[in-house]
């Protein structure tokens, strides 16, 4: 008899609300509680989207977005940006020879120089980027080909890197583990860019490029750590590992001049390791600090870019660029956001006007209908 | 497991123990005593012990069996396959993303089922361990219930329940009867009488019982509670005696002994073979229209999913044709990848794309839909307005799968008696040979011919008439199955007998009988009791007359009559028969038929229930013949029912008509109002009743099913006798169609004054002629079509003289007509069960005719009036809620997955996921799950009171209107639009020009680059906010719970993202999300673009809603706009159609 109150239902999830109300129990009070929740009468705000209620929202959005958009657009237009493509595709381009004569195991670096002129002076801090096109940093095989725990300095991962790093996990000849392992690290951008200013008096001066402060603070200080004990020599700490196949020098020689920027915590390396979202991307390369005096950071005039051409992109129709840019409160040059704001704002404003007309017509219609009543 | 074994054992015993007859019967040795050697050689069978196993699992098989059952469901299986694919091949997302939700679902379900099973185990154990008393070697000893075996003689005391199915051997009562209540079996709380075997009823002590030497042959267990046949062979005399056994000898497990001190019985079915256990099986599952649409949408999405994967795979190989794209120097493949065959690679890529996009069919949708249904159904049970004070009952939900179907009902099939009417019978009058007696004008036991007796012909009854009159009264006092209950506390029907020493009540499963017996009491003849086979009647002279009850030919709905055979104290034998006029008149040979017929018809028109009473004097020879017929029929196992029916048919003939009775059955409270509301809501109400046409039609007028303006079309035997069925049908259809042809088709949706509604009356006989499958006449095949065409144009249909199965046939016919309308059947009695099971939604009324309808229904309500709230409010809400739930789920997953699809075009079709694993996993589980679940539980687009006041609103959601393909496509297109806005919005911010954080907020950093994970996080953030705001825009009923979950889940998303990116998680082998979210938020353009993209995504939907509402408002929307005004004053649709939204700001 008891068992009858738990009807064995055949189907899963076939809930039986009645099972708890089986007829076997003592005649308990079955009257439901008269609570607001159970009677579905909780106090509630009951908005409805009518032309009337939405109108103000549309106007407010319109009136807010259009100025924001204009502000963004103007700001974006004020940002100065200069781009130099130094891939060397065209035969007359300065880097054509370097691009064509590229071999993996050449020992002598190929250097080429690109001249350009800045028509406007660049004020404030200037940021120097390198840009690559048609480079699929977001390819799945590429994105996952890294070992974050190795980069975090975990000793065991240094010795035996993650399987994800294949085929850049161990050196094919020596069988030593590669540090840093994986396709991303292996393809580290290794062109060296140097900027020279041809002063009007004919002298050339090298523009000081600051290479620190280009990576995320958290990446540099938490996510990326060199393995081993801080007191030891960096070379010692990477002992037993091999350099990535395509690298010219091992990881502990990335920046021998500054131990705080060497090994895994080299900022160029960290920037490269943050894989780009799209096949055409640019990455921060250097910062040109603004001068303490009021002279512009980069005065208008002739410049030349000296490139140590190490990085092959011709094979996959890639492009290499160098970009100089100032920034504003809204980041880099980005006309899209401003235009989008203006567009959406205008649409909202326009719709607001249309709604106002509809609402007005509708309102009078219903008024006239109500009067005879 | 025990269950499995027992069924297995039964199977083995059925098929192996003996080749021939043991399939159908079993032989039970009472007290395990072998029959004497001379007797037929029986094959001893093995029977299961008395263990009840209602649990599904044991400790050991729980995990495999539960897993198997869960993965048998298509959805779970699909996700399992996806999960396995992720485990086996190299897929873009980790197996965790699909494994975690799946196992969450599986484990929650398993825990729930495990808990339920544990409860069942506990209950089983309690039942199996309880002690029962068994007679062994002349002594009563105690045994655990589970150790009871077939053949044990069991001793049961009053108020104990029977431990297994028993054949009653003897009881403490001298007449060998006992009373039993089967409340826990079928809910009928009335006391039923069971009879001991005549030959054993004298054995009343354990010693005596021990002497019984007999075997029982009976059928193998079958689940029908009311059917049993068998016979007993008693070997105690010189000659073995064989007696038949019927269900009146069988005490069922679960029933309780009442009013009887003790009984002895022999166990014949034990454990899982008891009728109660056999009735555990649940009914076949019904599926709602919403579920069907949902499945259709799922198929579409599956096609989208597959085509997406195919397109991407194809494009991938086109794109990769250039080896420098396939494998540029910076992105080498491993040796094994290179060597893999291109077809295998393509197939793996296809699977990988499938895995990447599989979130478009989310596992959580099933869970959410099920939770919504399960939790939502509590609102029905909790509803205070559906609680009936009188019965102390509230609405019961037997299945929560059909909640939304309540909002889709197009046809309502209702029973009349007990559903539309109270089934609270009151004796109004009787008519004997044309003299009318009305009880309330009886003074001092003097019968005065009714003043209202217009049809009265013979006002001064002569001696012969007087004799007839008394015979009539005696007939009504004897021809019934009423019991007398001498207690005060009876649940069930209480009717006090005021005279006499102790207060006692008449109890019967049929309220008509109680009303009749009570009416007789008021006319001077009081039925006292049934004692020792003697019925005692107190006549007008206060003398006790005794009649020996010889046979009861019980009532059934096919014969529609019952009879008793009694022997008077003077030794005369009478057969008294009472039943419906249609079943009595053809069997009557004499009596004042004309007058009585006229009176019966007159009463029927007034909506009274009429019964005719007839008798037949039997000579001893005739009685012998009767006895012979009956015993022969009852001894038979096969076709017993048929033989009994034939025997009854032979016995109940050559009757002499005595008179007729009229009993009133009052309309249920607010029945008319409910029917009117259902009509206004666009439902077609059909009344299916077994009553006669006039009575039923009267009830229909009273309940406003037919109005005075309704033009009644008749399709009855009377008409078809005059014309051929063919002609009648065509004439009717012409009438109906002519009218409708001249009117615009949509007129039915409005309430134009021109509108003439038709009502159709059809009777059972004509109906079966219409439904009869095509005969030689080719036209007859069309009858059904024509009939349906007529019905379609009638707002109300009355089907009278219906057999229970015909009710189901009608429902089935409408169900399968070409529009496939959603049907609802509502009834209270056993005769409604078939239609309740057949209809899309079956509703049981907790009536007086037992609980069979309630047990077999999907929902049960105490009163008919509760149907209004059930459909118009609950049904409407559930439909609105679930349709939004389904559409929203598809929408939010299109928004979720389409950007990933687009991203493939920018990452070399490499299956690179756009979002992080955690986001992929938690999007459906936690970031966007609760708001929609709570929406689908709480949403009230219109106030409850207005829904009740304006039934026409129901038409707005008719025909599954919120889940039609255009709306589905709208939601999908909206999802795709949002996805495009989100993806390309982020794309243009990242593309070419750098999207950089300005570093002003974090002083140590100056200028950073964002990578692909930031890109995904930006899209995802916009996505979560957009879909949540979209839901917020759709919410019309903001309780604090809605506020809490909507804002809460957004806060949760932000907090989670901060945490997820804030720590180097030691258990992860990648740290790609480290500080990504924070960096993004520290960038001004990110904030600006999030705001912009959310606005742009939501804009079209808002605009569409506002424009539609302003230009083409639906009734619902008009009412929403006028909500506050409506709530305070009554209003009509006519007014509403002129008013409009005028809310200003």
């Amino acid at each position: 008899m008891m068992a009858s109150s738990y009807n064995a239902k055949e189907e899963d999830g076939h809930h039986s609300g009645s099972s708890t109300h089986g007829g076997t129990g003592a005649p308990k009070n079955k009257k439901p509680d008269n609570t607001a929740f159970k009677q579905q009468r909780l106090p509630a705000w009951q908005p409805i989207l009518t032309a009337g209620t939405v109108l103000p929202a549309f106007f407010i959005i319109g009136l807010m977005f259009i100025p924001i958009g204009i502000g963004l657009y103007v700001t974006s237009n004020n940002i100065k940006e200069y781009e130099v493509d130094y891939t060397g595709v065209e035969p007359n381009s300065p880097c054509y020879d370097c691009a064509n004569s590229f071999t993996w195991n050449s020992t002598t670096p190929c250097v080429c120089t690109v001249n350009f002129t800045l028509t406007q002076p660049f004020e404030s801090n200037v940021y120097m980027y390198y840009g690559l096109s048609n480079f699929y940093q977001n390819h799945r095989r590429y994105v996952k080909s890294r070992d974050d725990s190795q980069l975090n300095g975990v000793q065991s991962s240094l010795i035996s890197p993650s399987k994800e790093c294949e085929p850049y996990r161990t050196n094919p000849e020596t069988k030593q583990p590669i540090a840093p392992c994986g396709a991303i690290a292996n393809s580290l951008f290794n062109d060296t860019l140097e900027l020279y200013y041809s002063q009007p008096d004919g002298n050339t001066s090298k523009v000081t490029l600051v290479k620190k402060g280009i990576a995320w603070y958290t990446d540099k200080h938490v996510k990326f750590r060199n393995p081993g004990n801080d007191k030891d020599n960096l070379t010692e700490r990477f002992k037993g590992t091999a350099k990535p196949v395509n690298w010219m020098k091992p990881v502990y020689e990335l920046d021998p001049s500054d131990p705080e920027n060497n090994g895994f915590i080299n900022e160029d390396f960290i920037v490269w390791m943050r894989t780009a979202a799209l096949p055409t991307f640019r990455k921060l390369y250097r910062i040109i600090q603004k001068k303490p005096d009021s002279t512009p950071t980069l005065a208008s005039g002739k410049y030349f870019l000296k490139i140590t051409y190490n990085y092959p992109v011709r094979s996959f129709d890639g492009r290499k660029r160098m970009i100089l840019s100032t920034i504003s409160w809204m980041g880099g040059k980005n006309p899209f956001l401003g235009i989008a704001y203006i567009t959406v704002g205008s649409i909202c404003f326009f719709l607001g006007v249309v709604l106002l007309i509809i609402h007005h017509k509708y309102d009078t219609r219903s008024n006239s209908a109500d009067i005879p009543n | 497991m025990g269950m499995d074994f027992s069924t297995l054992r039964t199977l083995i015993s059925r098929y192996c123990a003996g080749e021939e007859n043991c399939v159908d019967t079993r032989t039970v040795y009472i007290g395990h005593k072998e029959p004497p050697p001379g007797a037929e050689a029986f094959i001893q069978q093995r029977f299961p012990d008395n263990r009840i196993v209602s649990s599904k699992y044991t400790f050991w098989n729980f995990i495999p069996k539960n897993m198997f059952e869960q993965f048998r469901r298509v959805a779970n299986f699909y996700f399992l396959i996806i999960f396995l694919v992720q485990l086996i091949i190299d897929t873009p997302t980790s197996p965790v993303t699909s494994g975690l939700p799946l196992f969450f679902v599986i484990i929650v379900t398993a825990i729930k089922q495990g808990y339920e099973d544990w409860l069942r185990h506990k209950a089983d154990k309690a039942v199996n361990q309880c002690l029962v008393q068994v007679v062994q070697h002349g002594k009563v000893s105690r045994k655990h219930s589970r150790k009871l075996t077939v053949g044990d003689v069991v001793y049961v005391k009053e108020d104990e329940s029977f431990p297994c199915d028993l054949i009653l051997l003897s009881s403490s009562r001298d007449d060998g009867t006992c009373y039993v209540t089967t409340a826990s079996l079928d809910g009928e709380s009335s006391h039923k009488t069971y009879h001991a075997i005549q030959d054993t009823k004298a054995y009343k002590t354990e010693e005596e019982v021990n002497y019984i030497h007999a075997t029982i042959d009976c059928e193998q267990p079958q689940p029908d509670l009311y059917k049993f046949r068998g016979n007993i062979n008693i070997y105690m005399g010189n000659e073995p005696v064989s007696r038949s056994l019927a269900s009146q000898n069988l005490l069922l497990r679960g029933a309780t002994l009442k009013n009887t001190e003790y009984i002895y019985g022999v166990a014949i079915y034990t454990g899982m073979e008891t009728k109660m256990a056999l009735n555990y099986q649940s009914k076949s599952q019904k599926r709602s229209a919403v579920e069907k649409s949902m499945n259709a949408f799922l198929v579409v999405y599956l096609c989208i999913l597959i085509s997406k994967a195919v397109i991407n795979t194809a494009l991938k190989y086109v794109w990769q044709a250039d080896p420098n794209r396939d494998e540029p120097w910076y992105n080498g493949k491993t040796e094994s990848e290179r060597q893999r065959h291109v077809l295998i690679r393509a197939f793996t890529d296809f699977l990988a794309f499938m895995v990447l996009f599989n979130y478009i069919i989310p596992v959580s949708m099933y869970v959410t839909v099920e939770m919504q249904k399960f939790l939502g159904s509590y609102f029905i049970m909790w509803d205070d307005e559906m609680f009936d004070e009188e019965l102390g009952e509230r609405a019961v939900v037997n299945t929560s799968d059909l909640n939304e179907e309540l909002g889709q009902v197009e046809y309502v099939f209702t029973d009349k008696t007990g559903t539309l009417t109270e089934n609270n019978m009151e004796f109004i009058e009787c008519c004997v040979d044309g003299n009318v007696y009305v009880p309330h004008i009886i003074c001092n036991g003097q019968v005065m011919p009714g003043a209202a007796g217009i049809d009265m012909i013979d006002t001064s009854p002569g001696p012969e008439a007087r004799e007839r009159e008394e015979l009539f009264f005696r007939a009504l006092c004897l021809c019934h199955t009423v019991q007398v209950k001498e207690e005060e506390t009876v649940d069930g029907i209480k009717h006090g007998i005021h005279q006499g020493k102790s207060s006692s009540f008449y109890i019967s499963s049929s309220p008509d009988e109680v009303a009749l017996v009570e009416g007789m009491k008021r006319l001077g003849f009081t039925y006292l009791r049934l004692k020792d086979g003697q019925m005692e009647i107190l006549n007008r002279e206060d003398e006790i007359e005794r009649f020996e009850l010889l046979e009861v030919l019980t009532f059934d709905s096919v014969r529609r009559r019952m009879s008793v055979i009694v022997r008077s104290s003077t030794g005369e034998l009478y057969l008294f028969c009472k039943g419906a006029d249609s079943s009595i008149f053809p069997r009557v040979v004499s009596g004042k038929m004309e007058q009585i017929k006229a009176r019966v018809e007159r009463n029927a028109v007034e909506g009274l229930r009429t019964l005719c009473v007839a008798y037949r004097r039997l000579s001893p020879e005739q009685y012998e013949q009767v006895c012979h017929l009956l015993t022969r029929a009852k001894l038979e196992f096969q076709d017993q029912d048929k033989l009994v029916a034939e025997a009854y048919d032979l016995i109940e003939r050559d009757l002499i008509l005595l008179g007729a009775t009229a009993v009133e059955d009052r309309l249920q409270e607010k029945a008319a109002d409910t029917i009117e509301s259902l009509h206004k809501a666009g439902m077609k109400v059909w009344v299916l009743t077994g009553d006669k046409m006039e009575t039923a039609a009267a009830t229909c007028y009273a309940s406003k099913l037919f109005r005075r303006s309704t033009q009644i079309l008749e399709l009855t035997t009377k008409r078809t006798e005059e014309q051929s069925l063919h002609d009648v049908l065509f004439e009717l259809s012409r009438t109906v169609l002519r009218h409708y042809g001249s009117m615009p088709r949509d007129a039915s949706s409005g309430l134009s004054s021109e509108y003439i509604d038709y009502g159709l009356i059809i009777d059972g006989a004509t109906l079966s002629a219409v439904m009869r499958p095509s005969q030689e006449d080719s036209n007859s095949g069309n009858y059904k079509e024509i009939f349906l065409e007529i019905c379609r144009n009638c707002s109300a249909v009355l089907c009278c003289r219906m057999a229970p199965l015909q009710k189901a046939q009608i429902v089935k016919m409408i169900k399968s007509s070409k529009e496939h309308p959603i049907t609802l059947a509502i009834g209270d009695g056993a005769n409604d069960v078939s239609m309740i099971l057949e209809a899309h939604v079956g509703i049981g009324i907790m009536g007086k005719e037992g609980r069979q309808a309630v047990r077999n229904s999907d929902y049960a309500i105490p009163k008919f009036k509760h149907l209004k709230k059930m459909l118009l409010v609950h049904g409407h809400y559930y439909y609105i809620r679930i349709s939004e739930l389904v559409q929203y789920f598809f929408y939010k997953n299109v928004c979720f997955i389409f950007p990933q699809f687009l991203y493939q075009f920018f990452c070399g079709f490499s299956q690179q996921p756009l979002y992080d694993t955690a986001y992929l996993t938690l999007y459906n589980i936690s970031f966007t799950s609760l708001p929609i679940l709570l929406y689908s539980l709480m949403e009230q687009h219109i106030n409850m009171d207005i829904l009740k006041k304006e039934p026409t609103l129901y038409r707005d959601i008719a025909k599954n209107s919120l889940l039609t393909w255009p709306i589905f496509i709208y939601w999908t297109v909206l999802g795709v639009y949002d996805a495009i806005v989100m993806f390309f919005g982020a794309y243009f911010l990242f593309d070419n020009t750098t999207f950089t954080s300005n570093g002003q907020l974090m002083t140590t950093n100056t200028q950073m680059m964002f990578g692909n994970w930031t890109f995904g996080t930006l899209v995802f953030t916009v996505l979560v906010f957009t879909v949540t705001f979209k839901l917020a825009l759709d919410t019309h009923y903001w309780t604090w719970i809605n506020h809490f979950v909507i804002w809460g889940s957004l806060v949760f998303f932000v907090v989670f993202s901060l945490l997820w990116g804030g720590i180097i998680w030691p258990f992860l082998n990648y740290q790609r999300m480290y500080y990504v979210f924070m960096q993004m938020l520290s960038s001004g353009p990110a904030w600006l673009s999030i705001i912009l993209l959310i606005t742009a995504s939501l804009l079209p939907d808002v605009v569409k809603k506002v424009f539609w509402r302003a230009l083409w408002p639906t009734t619902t929307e008009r009412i929403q706009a006028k909500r506050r005004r409506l709530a305070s004053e009554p209003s009509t649709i006519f007014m509403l159609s002129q008013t409009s939204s005028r809310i200003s700001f």
Side-chain angles (χ1 to χ4, degrees), chain A residues 27 98 110 149 157 179 187 195 234 239 288 314 371:
Chain A
C98 281
C110 180
S149 85
S157 302
S187 56
L195 190 63
L234 203 57
K239 205 176 170 191
I288 306 164
R314 295 289 308 276
I371 292 164

Side-chain angles (χ1 to χ4, degrees), chain A residues 42 129 140 148 216 341 366, chain B residues 911 1007-1008 1071 1088 1140:
Chain A
L42 280 177
Y129 305 88
R140 181 159 71 93
D148 276 338
W216 290 12
Y341 259 95
S366 69
Chain B
Q911 303 115 26
Q1007 173 88 337
M1008 278 68 348
Q1071 305 296 341
L1088 285 174
S1140 56

